[in-house]
Amino acid sequence: MVAACVLGDWGTSSLRLWAVDQAGRVLAERRSGQGMGGLAPEAFEPVLREHLAALAAGDAPVLLCGMVGARQGWREAPYVALPAEFGAICDAALPIGMRDVDLRILPGLSAAEPADVMRGEETQLLGLAGAAGADGVVVLPGTHSKWVWLTEGRIGRFETAMTGELFALLGSQSVLRHSVDLSAAFDDDAFAEGVARGLAAPQRLTRLLFGVRAATLMDGLGRAAATARLSGLLIGAEIAGAGPLDGVTLVASGALAERYGRALAVAGIPANLVDAEAATRSGLMQAARRLWPGRLERTA
Amino acid sequence: MVAACVLGDWGTSSLRLWAVDQAGRVLAERRSGQGMGGLAPEAFEPVLREHLAALAAGDAPVLLCGMVGARQGWREAPYVALPAEFGAICDAALPIGMRDVDLRILPGLSAAEPADVMRGEETQLLGLAGAAGADGVVVLPGTHSKWVWLTEGRIGRFETAMTGELFALLGSQSVLRHSVDLSAAFDDDAFAEGVARGLAAPQRLTRLLFGVRAATLMDGLGRAAATARLSGLLIGAEIAGAGPLDGVTLVASGALAERYGRALAVAGIPANLVDAEAATRSGLMQAARRLWPGRLERTA
């Protein structure tokens, strides 16, 4: 069957592409470690063409999201300023001049006062916009976790917490590296205890962090427990920093989905889990329907 | 003149030694980059002997503080548990078996529930204990800043904030490295603004940190201003995390004394500055007077 279009998420460390039919069903998929971060600019087009050929995509149009549209990516797709309707985000997709393929890149979003930016998560939010009950607060955990306040058809505001990057840096580069083991089996109780401490005193986070080191020296806290406590402290403080919450939509998968799900439970905040990759694909699909209405049916 | 004793601070990255007379006056001084961190264990004694010879210290007793007494140092001088009288800290000085020299190492301090440790700062606190008006809260900023609640003759409790280490890590290893310039001239206004933001919302620190990156992308925040803002955010949040304060004694020198002095002023907290090295030397002297009463006069 001929692909109606190709949807893709091209990030810093990976590339995922899906060829879909007119009804939005996935016909074929490509997953690669060929992220933007590891490729020279002159390799972008050949790499994409190779995967499109493997998908037998013919001359189907291609829609991409993620770091491919960053300044350090293929070409910068300028940020769309908040407040933004979802339609405006789709319409700002940047056309890339490829000879025979209609290739476009979705833009990121920017906020002012305080300044903030996202790139990639806006597509997951597009995906949620089609789902019922997606209004309210959306959490998209990661290296730079995004917290988004959604109202129907509009992204009101968002915040970024450096949780994932801090966890990696502290665990591998700081004095805490002597206390933790990033490859250790996950200690659920120590994690929950860390979350509770971070929730109770987020304003003391940098003190709580050193406490992990002190506890290994003084209390005999083991490496697996220290690692889980460190993760819990950071995530607990991140949740507390969002302010009062009645409930959230959690967009995540794998270990992150488990950790944030558990942390939100410790905080007593109801969470509705949406798989991160499903949200990305759904968002790309929503945007593609708007960009190429003749190629895709209105409802999948 | 013959030295009554030799006092020294042997840390991870430096060694400072002072030969003093019976009245506590400095006769000669040695400063070296031969810190514990860069020496093999078998080099500790030869390095010390070389400096003692240069000081013409003869067989004067030697008292050291700092990482020399850590597990990774010359020999571990076990932590003294809080609450601790200053006399008990002096009495716990660990004798090292050197053939012809009475060498002792001052211990660090430990706290329980929550666990915490210090090594080196206890000597500066000993130095303050002799000064008038030293009761109250003492701030000793650094890689791992110490906040100490002192009452006459006793250290009640203390806390450690990872401020200095976070600043160095974030500025050199995180996404913020693209926004800052650690060698830039100091921007006092941007620093004060960062302090104010950190003071106002310490529970949102990991969001404020990412805001530095966003402000360079969106608001054109320059590298010097971003660097100072990053420093201000961390120090502001550190101060806020200590809770309400009527005033503090700030033990610091150089750039740290300036930054923390400015930050405490922004917070409206009166601060009494004590030079860090003077406090170390004074603390070593107080301890030496107690350990070798025949060698040193009771008052300097």
Side-chain angles (χ1 to χ4, degrees):
Chain A
M1 186 185 280
V2 178
C5 69
V6 174
L7 310 174
D9 179 4
W10 203 346
T12 302
S13 57
S14 69
L15 167 63
R16 291 171 295 175
L17 290 167
W18 302 278
V20 300
D21 70 10
Q22 200 172 359
R25 287 178 297 241
V26 174
L27 300 173
E29 176 182 76
R30 300 285 289 177
R31 290 171 178 272
S32 156
Q34 292 166 303
M36 284 281 128
L39 294 175
E42 57 270 23
F44 296 158
E45 184 168 332
V47 164
L48 180 62
R49 284 194 182 278
E50 183 191 318
H51 287 287
L52 292 177
L55 287 170
D59 61 356
V62 178
L63 181 63
L64 300 176
C65 69
M67 293 308 286
V68 63
R71 199 169 301 173
Q72 303 87 342
W74 188 330
R75 194 169 317 159
E76 187 176 6
Y79 295 110
V80 171
L82 286 195
E85 306 276 343
F86 284 111
I89 301 171
C90 300
D91 294 344
L94 181 78
I96 300 289
M98 258 173 84
R99 181 173 33 86
D100 50 348
V101 176
D102 182 0
L103 167 64
R104 307 191 196 187
I105 300 177
L106 283 172
L109 295 180
S110 67
E113 294 174 32
D116 212 333
V117 291
M118 70 166 65
R119 192 175 290 281
E121 295 89 353
E122 76 292 327
T123 302
Q124 297 176 311
L125 295 169
L126 282 171
L128 290 186
D135 272 15
V137 181
V138 183
V139 187
L140 306 105
T143 301
H144 301 148
S145 292
K146 302 294 176 185
W147 288 71
V148 184
W149 279 256
L150 273 189
T151 53
E152 210 167 325
R154 189 182 276 265
I155 296 164
R157 66 183 177 95
F158 67 93
E159 304 173 342
T160 305
M162 285 185 70
T163 307
E165 184 160 21
L166 279 171
F167 178 73
L169 273 181
L170 289 166
S172 63
Q173 308 278 331
S174 81
V175 69
L176 300 185
R177 72 186 184 280
H178 303 300
S179 297
V180 306
D181 175 0
L182 297 180
S183 66
F186 193 66
D187 181 330
D188 193 60
D189 289 342
F191 175 75
E193 191 188 327
V195 169
R197 289 174 190 233
L199 284 168
Q203 79 283 6
R204 293 171 54 80
L205 179 62
T206 70
R207 289 165 167 83
L208 297 173
L209 295 173
F210 188 79
V212 174
R213 177 65 182 149
T216 58
L217 292 173
M218 300 302 301
D219 300 342
L221 187 75
R223 280 178 177 260
T227 313
R229 187 191 288 187
L230 171 60
S231 175
L233 290 173
L234 288 165
I235 295 173
E238 178 189 341
I239 292 171
L245 296 164
D246 295 328
V248 298
T249 298
L250 172 61
V251 180
S253 35
L256 279 183
E258 279 175 43
R259 290 195 189 191
Y260 276 76
R262 179 92 171 93
L264 289 162
V266 170
I269 299 167
N272 172 32
L273 178 66
V274 174
D275 180 74
E277 184 171 310
T280 298
R281 217 160 54 202
S282 168
L284 286 163
M285 183 72 67
Q286 307 266 355
R289 282 204 187 94
R290 185 174 170 108
L291 293 171
W292 301 297
R295 288 203 154 247
L296 292 156
E297 290 165 9
R298 189 78 194 109
T299 46
Chain B
M1 186 183 277
V2 177
C5 69
V6 174
L7 310 174
D9 179 4
W10 204 345
T12 303
S13 56
S14 69
L15 166 63
R16 291 171 297 175
L17 289 168
W18 303 278
V20 299
D21 70 9
Q22 199 173 357
R25 288 179 296 243
V26 174
L27 302 172
E29 177 184 78
R30 300 286 289 178
R31 289 170 179 274
S32 156
Q34 292 165 303
M36 284 282 127
L39 294 174
E42 57 271 24
F44 296 157
E45 184 169 333
V47 164
L48 180 62
R49 285 193 180 276
E50 183 190 319
H51 287 287
L52 292 178
L55 287 169
D59 60 357
V62 178
L63 181 62
L64 300 176
C65 69
M67 294 308 286
V68 63
R71 199 168 302 175
Q72 304 86 342
W74 187 329
R75 193 165 321 153
E76 187 176 7
Y79 295 109
V80 171
L82 287 196
E85 306 276 343
F86 285 111
I89 300 171
C90 300
D91 295 343
L94 183 77
I96 301 289
M98 259 172 85
R99 182 172 33 86
D100 49 350
V101 176
D102 182 359
L103 168 63
R104 305 190 196 188
I105 300 178
L106 283 171
L109 294 181
S110 67
E113 295 172 33
D116 212 332
V117 291
M118 69 165 67
R119 192 174 291 281
E121 295 89 354
E122 75 294 326
T123 303
Q124 298 177 310
L125 295 169
L126 281 172
L128 290 186
D135 271 16
V137 181
V138 183
V139 186
L140 306 105
T143 302
H144 301 147
S145 292
K146 303 294 176 183
W147 288 72
V148 184
W149 278 255
L150 272 190
T151 52
E152 211 168 325
R154 190 182 275 265
I155 296 165
R157 66 184 178 94
F158 67 92
E159 305 174 342
T160 305
M162 286 186 68
T163 307
E165 183 159 23
L166 280 171
F167 177 73
L169 273 181
L170 289 166
S172 64
Q173 308 279 332
S174 81
V175 70
L176 300 186
R177 73 186 184 279
H178 303 302
S179 297
V180 306
D181 175 0
L182 297 181
S183 66
F186 193 66
D187 182 330
D188 193 60
D189 289 343
F191 176 75
E193 192 189 324
V195 170
R197 289 174 192 232
L199 283 168
Q203 78 284 6
R204 292 171 54 79
L205 179 62
T206 70
R207 289 166 166 84
L208 297 174
L209 294 173
F210 187 79
V212 174
R213 177 67 182 149
T216 59
L217 293 173
M218 300 302 300
D219 298 343
L221 188 73
R223 281 179 176 258
T227 312
R229 187 191 288 186
L230 172 60
S231 175
L233 290 172
L234 288 164
I235 294 174
E238 178 190 341
I239 293 171
L245 296 165
D246 294 328
V248 299
T249 297
L250 172 61
V251 181
S253 36
L256 279 183
E258 280 175 42
R259 290 195 190 192
Y260 277 76
R262 181 91 171 92
L264 289 162
V266 171
I269 299 168
N272 172 33
L273 178 65
V274 174
D275 180 72
E277 184 172 308
T280 298
R281 218 160 54 200
S282 168
L284 286 163
M285 183 72 67
Q286 307 268 353
R289 281 204 188 95
R290 185 176 170 105
L291 293 172
W292 301 297
R295 291 204 150 245
L296 291 156
E297 291 166 12
R298 190 77 195 111
T299 46

